[in-house]
């Protein structure tokens, strides 16, 4: 059976000769130095492999996190933009189309929400929700706007699933 290099001591067969009474400690020092150099090289390769694996894992994790966040941001932005556009259109067209006299009143609260909440603030609120399951400000506000908009007969589109290259 073969033994591993670590289990095999560094032995110089000629150093144990009966003819050598003086003994040579330098050979033993060379053996210790050889083992030390091997340990240093092993540690270098171990550390390099560890760091390489860490970097590859980090890249994969970052990419998957980006893909997930990008998709969530796309959905939130789509919903916010669609509802903001619908609410503004209803306000503008309210009273100009037969049967639309109540649209402006129905959309009044929604318009106030969009006046106070910029797109950036809305997306920050959506991001906060993604981090904390207890927070639902963005979802609740958009749900109220969606209910108001749909009560006027407007049909809203769903986010086009599968259209993202990150899905």
């Amino acid at each position: 059976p073969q033994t591993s290099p670590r289990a095999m001591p560094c032995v110089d067969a000629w150093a144990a000769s009966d003819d050598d009474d003086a003994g040579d400690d330098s050979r033993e020092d060379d053996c210790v130095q050889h083992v030390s150099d091997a340990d240093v090289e092993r540690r270098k390769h171990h550390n390099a492999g560890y760091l390489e694996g860490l970097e590859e894992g980090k890249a994969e994790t970052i990419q998957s996190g980006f893909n997930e966040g990008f998709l969530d941001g796309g959905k939130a932005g789509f919903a916010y933009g669609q509802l903001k556009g619908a609410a503004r259109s209803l306000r503008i067209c309210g009273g100009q189309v037969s049967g639309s006299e109540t649209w402006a009143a129905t959309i009044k609260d929604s318009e106030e929400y969009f006046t106070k909440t910029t797109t950036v603030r809305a997306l920050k609120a959506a991001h906060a929700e993604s981090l904390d399951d207890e927070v639902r400000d963005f979802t609740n506000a958009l749900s109220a706007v969606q209910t108001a908009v749909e009560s006027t007969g407007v049909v809203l589109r769903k986010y086009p699933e599968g259209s993202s290259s990150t899905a």
Side-chain angles (χ1 to χ4, degrees), residues 30 34 37 42 47 74 83-84 95 105:
D30 287 346
H34 173 71
D37 289 347
R42 182 187 54 77
N47 290 344
L83 289 170
K84 184 175 183 176

Side-chain angles (χ1 to χ4, degrees), residues 3 8-10 13 18 50 54 56 73-74 84 87 106 111 152-153 155:
T3 59
M8 184 77 102
C10 182
D18 290 335
Y50 175 79
L54 187 64
E56 283 187 32
K84 184 175 183 176
T106 303
E111 276 290 300
T152 65
V155 177

Side-chain angles (χ1 to χ4, degrees), residues 80 84 113-124 138:
Y80 177 85
K84 184 175 183 176
Y113 170 75
F114 290 118
T115 301
K116 292 186 297 185
T117 309
T118 64
T119 305
V120 172
R121 283 189 181 148
L123 292 177
K124 283 183 179 180
F138 178 74

Side-chain angles (χ1 to χ4, degrees), residues 32-112:
V32 169
Q33 182 65 34
H34 173 71
V35 171
S36 294
D37 289 347
D39 283 344
V40 167
E41 286 301 312
R42 182 187 54 77
R43 274 191 232 116
K44 280 184 190 176
H45 290 293
H46 173 79
N47 290 344
Y50 175 79
L51 291 174
E52 188 176 316
L54 187 64
E55 287 299 315
E56 283 187 32
K58 192 187 308 181
E60 288 176 20
T61 302
I62 288 171
Q63 185 62 51
S64 66
F66 172 82
N67 291 351
E68 186 178 318
F70 188 82
L71 186 60
D72 290 347
K75 288 178 180 180
F78 180 85
Y80 177 85
Q82 180 177 229
L83 289 170
K84 184 175 183 176
R88 293 259 164 96
S89 296
L90 288 169
R91 181 181 51 83
I92 291 168
C93 296
Q96 297 180 12
V97 179
S98 175
S100 65
E101 294 78 22
T102 59
W103 290 357
T106 303
I107 298 304
K108 184 176 184 238
D109 291 338
S110 301
E111 276 290 300
E112 288 178 21

